[in-house]
Amino acid sequence: MASAKATIDHDEIRKWVETRGGHPAHVKRTGTRRGNPGVLRIDYPGFSGEESLERIDWDQWFEWFDRDNLAFLYQDEKKSRFSKLVDRSTVEVAAAPRSRKHAAPKKTTAAAAKKSNGDGRAKTTAAKKTAATKNTTTAAKKTTAARKTSSTPNTSAAKRTTSHSVIQKWVEARGGHPARVKKTGRGKDPGILRIDYPGYSGAGTLERIDWDEWFDWFDRDELAFLYQNKRDSRFSKLVRR
């Protein structure tokens, strides 16, 4: 599904991230000496944050995730790494699932077993026939679905581009702006490049810059823009070319 989900459940977030090879991290030089790691991020090997991000443990990450009142926005697709940290007040967050209590299996008494023994054989034979029929039907459905999937292009796959016009048009069509992470630049170098969307967690940590400066350092750092070409998707990542 293309739509994003929001959650604050620690176990759900950790499982989703680690399944995709990610790690909890923060942006270097954005924290304080009081234990505040600063700007939280998820680090994936091979992405542009390799030199600007520093990994931290899950305990510290979740502590400030809750203190900053954030929510985790993600797509529940196997190949998707789309995720954003947003303010909890801007999204609807489902309550954490309650643990289910499993009922203890019923004990079958010897008398009941003897009583149902005669009917049990007939029921077992019928059950086997039913199961065989269901398995055949299921296998046929899976084969048909596999054929349809193989002949249908995967529209959720991300595209890669270095075209300035394509990037600017895609970002602006979704209300985004070129930006950088504060306190990460030196001199004329803006530091870590980002795309800023109103209402997301970067409101206090990002600073908007113009497209000319953004693309200048986009090319100098030899980056590429990874994105999904869907109207309702804001998924994008900066990766090494």
Side-chain angles (χ1 to χ4, degrees), residues 29-239:
R29 299 193 297 273
T30 61
T32 64
R33 295 180 181 179
R34 298 180 179 179
N36 185 347
V39 183
L40 298 179
R41 287 289 181 265
I42 297 298
D43 180 26
Y44 295 102
F47 282 89
S48 62
E50 192 171 8
E51 297 177 359
S52 58
L53 299 183
E54 182 179 28
R55 294 182 184 179
I56 59 178
D57 60 54
W58 278 114
D59 289 338
Q60 185 182 14
W61 197 92
F62 281 127
E63 177 186 355
W64 289 94
F65 173 81
D66 290 331
R67 286 195 186 189
D68 293 340
N69 203 37
L70 299 177
F72 188 75
L73 204 65
Y74 69 102
Q75 283 183 335
D76 196 17
E77 297 178 352
K78 291 182 179 180
K79 295 183 179 180
S80 176
R81 282 182 171 178
F82 166 79
S83 65
K84 290 278 186 181
L85 293 177
V86 301
D87 191 289
R88 291 184 189 180
S89 63
T90 64
V91 293
E92 292 184 6
V93 180
R98 297 179 179 177
S99 58
R100 296 179 179 176
K101 296 182 179 179
H102 299 282
K106 295 181 179 179
K107 295 182 180 179
T108 304
T109 62
K114 290 180 180 179
K115 186 177 181 180
S116 61
N117 188 37
D119 295 335
R121 292 176 182 175
K123 289 181 179 179
T124 301
T125 303
K128 287 181 179 179
K129 291 182 179 180
T130 303
T133 303
K134 287 184 178 179
N135 289 338
T136 303
T137 304
T138 302
K141 288 182 178 179
K142 287 183 178 180
T143 302
T144 303
R147 289 175 180 172
K148 289 182 179 180
T149 302
S150 61
S151 62
T152 305
N154 183 8
T155 56
S156 65
K159 295 185 178 182
R160 179 192 295 254
T161 185
T162 58
S163 171
H164 294 190
S165 59
V166 170
I167 297 170
Q168 184 171 350
K169 181 179 180 180
W170 188 93
V171 170
E172 292 181 348
R174 290 156 178 79
H177 305 272
R180 69 177 189 95
V181 178
K182 296 177 181 178
K183 301 179 182 179
T184 60
R186 293 181 180 178
K188 295 182 179 180
D189 183 349
I192 302 173
L193 299 179
R194 286 289 181 267
I195 297 299
D196 181 26
Y197 295 102
Y200 282 87
S201 61
T205 58
L206 298 183
E207 180 180 27
R208 293 184 184 179
I209 58 178
D210 59 51
W211 278 114
D212 289 338
E213 182 181 8
W214 197 92
F215 282 127
D216 181 20
W217 289 93
F218 173 82
D219 292 330
R220 289 194 189 190
D221 292 340
E222 296 185 341
L223 300 177
F225 190 75
L226 206 64
Y227 68 103
Q228 285 184 336
N229 197 22
K230 296 179 179 180
R231 292 181 181 180
D232 59 345
S233 175
R234 282 182 171 178
F235 166 78
S236 65
K237 289 281 186 181
L238 294 176
V239 301

